[in-house]
């Protein structure tokens, strides 16, 4: 059974940092693109960052230069380091697994079929 468990969310002041973790199990971690998505209140869920099996990466424009995605393959975990946080980064953050192996790092949501429960990130001004 595929499982994705996010952690690391919380309340932080603007300009602060958080590191989100996504612990994965139930599949061959090395073979799949893992994505981070977020959903702010009243808004659609959007792709934030992805990492492919070949360590390709994608960042949404608003987080480029502030967020960094990485993975620890020994721990089957993907991280999202978030620096210089802004109030507009406030959202529930989800990690998700692509439905097919060996794909590029692109955040088309219909292609991500396994999702974690989400972790809340709140950035105060």
């Amino acid at each position: 059974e595929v499982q994705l468990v996010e952690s690391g969310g919380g309340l932080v002041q603007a300009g602060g940092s958080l590191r989100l973790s996504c612990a994965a199990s139930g599949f061959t971690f090395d073979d799949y693109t893992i994505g981070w998505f977020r959903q702010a209140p009243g808004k659609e869920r959007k792709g934030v960052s992805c990492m492919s099996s070949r360590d390709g990466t994608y960042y949404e424009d608003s987080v480029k230069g502030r967020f960094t995605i990485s993975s620890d393959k020994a721990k089957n975990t993907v991280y999202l380091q978030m620096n210089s946080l802004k109030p507009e980064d406030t959202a529930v953050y989800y990690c998700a697994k692509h439905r097919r192996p060996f794909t590029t790092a692109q955040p088309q949501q219909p292609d991500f079929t396994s999702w974690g429960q989400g972790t809340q990130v709140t950035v105060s001004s």
Side-chain angles (χ1 to χ4, degrees):
E1 178 188 3
V2 174
Q3 285 194 324
L4 300 164
V5 180
E6 303 97 335
S7 61
L11 173 64
V12 64
Q13 289 188 333
S17 297
L18 284 173
R19 188 178 78 158
L20 305 184
S21 299
C22 173
S25 62
F27 62 99
T28 305
F29 179 81
D30 292 2
D31 293 351
Y32 288 84
T33 292
I34 302 295
W36 283 100
F37 298 81
R38 66 185 179 187
Q39 187 166 23
K43 296 188 177 181
E44 293 184 351
R45 188 169 58 193
K46 291 181 59 177
V48 175
S49 182
C50 297
M51 175 170 273
S52 73
S53 60
R54 294 181 176 88
D55 294 336
T57 58
Y58 162 89
Y59 295 97
E60 194 266 330
D61 285 347
S62 70
V63 307
K64 285 180 181 177
R66 301 188 297 122
F67 291 11
T68 303
I69 192 169
S70 63
S71 69
D72 184 335
K73 296 183 178 180
K75 295 183 178 180
N76 285 7
T77 299
V78 175
Y79 303 99
L80 187 67
Q81 178 67 44
M82 307 187 296
N83 298 330
S84 302
L85 282 161
K86 304 175 181 180
E88 51 264 44
D89 294 317
T90 295
V92 178
Y93 283 71
Y94 301 89
C95 66
K97 167 191 164 290
H98 200 286
R99 62 185 176 91
R100 291 184 288 111
F102 307 117
T103 57
T104 58
Q106 291 297 320
Q108 277 75 37
Q109 291 192 54
D111 289 330
F112 289 81
T113 53
S114 298
W115 293 79
Q117 81 287 352
T119 186
Q120 176 71 46
V121 171
T122 303
V123 185
S124 64
S125 57

